[in-house]
């Protein structure tokens, strides 16, 4: 006697997940908020993209020890850690990046002539919050049996 059995592979739900536009948005945001902070953090050590110390508000430069460039080294390390956090734990990393961007925005709003960059960073902050919320949704979805 022969019986026919059907097995569902784990690839089927996974394939369905990859066709979900919300999940696709999550993957795009996770990739962007992993790569960008790491690259910007690394550039704090090279100043290839821009002269980063000019983006440090004078009042912050007055309270941090050392030079503005030394402060940018610390900022670079924090940004690299934030990018890695997004890669490994996007539910936490998204909020970390959003908080970091809020601090950057406050800094930029106190430097005349940098309001456009502050507005751009506000848009990035919204993207980081969206990433954190999507990470929560898809983490919960993966946990269900």
């Amino acid at each position: 006697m022969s019986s026919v059995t059907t097995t569902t592979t784990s690839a089927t739900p996974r394939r369905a997940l990859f066709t979900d536009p919300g999940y696709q948005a999550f993957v795009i945001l996770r990739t962007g908020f992993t790569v960008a902070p790491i690259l910007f953090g690394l550039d704090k050590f090279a100043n290839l993209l821009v002269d980063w110390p000019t983006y440090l508000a004078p009042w912050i430069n007055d309270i941090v020890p050392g030079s503005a460039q030394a402060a940018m080294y610390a900022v670079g390390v924090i940004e690299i850690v934030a990018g890695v956090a997004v890669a490994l734990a996007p539910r936490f990393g998204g909020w970390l990046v959003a908080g970091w961007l809020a601090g950057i925005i406050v800094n930029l709003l106190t430097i005349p002539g940098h309001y456009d960059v502050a507005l751009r960073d506000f848009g990035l902050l919204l993207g980081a919050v969206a990433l954190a919320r999507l990470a929560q949704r898809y983490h919960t979805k993966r946990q269900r049996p």
Side-chain angles (χ1 to χ4, degrees):
M1 179 177 221
S2 155
S3 71
V4 178
T5 59
T6 58
T7 59
T8 25
T9 65
S10 63
T12 304
R14 190 172 212 171
R15 194 171 301 127
L17 192 59
F18 284 116
T19 62
D20 174 10
Y23 188 75
Q24 292 170 356
F26 165 67
V27 170
I28 291 166
L29 289 169
R30 185 177 188 179
T31 302
F33 282 108
T34 295
V35 173
I38 292 171
L39 291 179
F40 285 129
L42 289 171
D43 193 57
K44 298 299 188 289
F45 295 91
N47 289 314
L48 295 175
L49 297 173
V50 69
D51 183 24
W52 290 107
T54 61
Y55 285 89
L56 186 64
W59 68 273
I60 295 176
N61 192 32
D62 290 343
I63 61 174
V64 296
S67 66
Q69 183 59 54
M72 287 297 122
Y73 294 148
V75 166
V77 170
I78 293 166
E79 289 176 343
I80 292 167
V81 168
V84 171
V86 168
L88 300 177
R91 289 184 306 149
F92 168 75
W95 290 114
L96 177 64
V97 170
W100 185 249
L101 284 164
I104 291 171
I105 291 166
V106 169
N107 169 71
L108 291 170
L109 289 175
T110 62
I111 306 171
H114 288 78
Y115 305 129
D116 57 332
V117 181
L119 180 60
R120 181 214 52 204
D121 284 354
F122 180 71
L124 289 171
L125 182 148
L126 295 176
V129 169
L131 167 65
R133 297 301 297 137
L134 286 167
Q136 179 66 40
R137 175 179 183 205
Y138 290 105
H139 177 79
T140 304
K141 193 177 260 192
R142 276 198 335 253
Q143 299 300 321
R144 291 187 188 141

